[in-house]
Amino acid sequence: GNNRYKGLFALDPNSGYGKKYGLTAANVHDPEKNTEVAVKFWNDNRKEFNSLMSSNEIAALGLNKSSSNMA
């Protein structure tokens, strides 16, 4: 990490998502907690992305609404 982003997935414990998912300066370097927060953050972003995009737009990207292949 650096001064702001820390741990396995380089997360910011002082960010909104860090606070939302219980990431703290004390546990940010715990690989299990860092991974848990990264997955929850990813899933929330995926849901938000899907809610904002039409089926045609998602299809044009080669994805589908329930896609787990959004790498």
Side-chain angles (χ1 to χ4, degrees):
N2 60 28
N3 287 336
R4 183 173 179 180
Y5 302 101
K6 304 186 183 330
L8 187 62
F9 288 92
L11 299 175
D12 179 3
N14 298 312
S15 67
Y17 64 82
K19 293 174 183 172
K20 179 178 180 178
Y21 303 121
L23 193 65
T24 65
N27 67 14
V28 71
H29 291 290
D30 174 359
E32 187 174 335
K33 184 63 176 179
N34 202 275
T35 301
E36 173 191 327
V37 171
V39 168
K40 288 178 179 179
F41 185 50
W42 168 260
N43 280 327
D44 281 354
N45 281 324
R46 182 181 51 81
K47 288 174 191 169
E48 179 72 12
F49 174 84
N50 282 339
S51 74
L52 297 173
M53 301 291 282
S54 73
S55 294
N56 289 339
E57 291 169 319
I58 290 175
L61 294 172
L63 306 172
N64 60 56
K65 279 276 190 184
S66 63
S67 181
S68 60
N69 65 349
M70 294 173 47

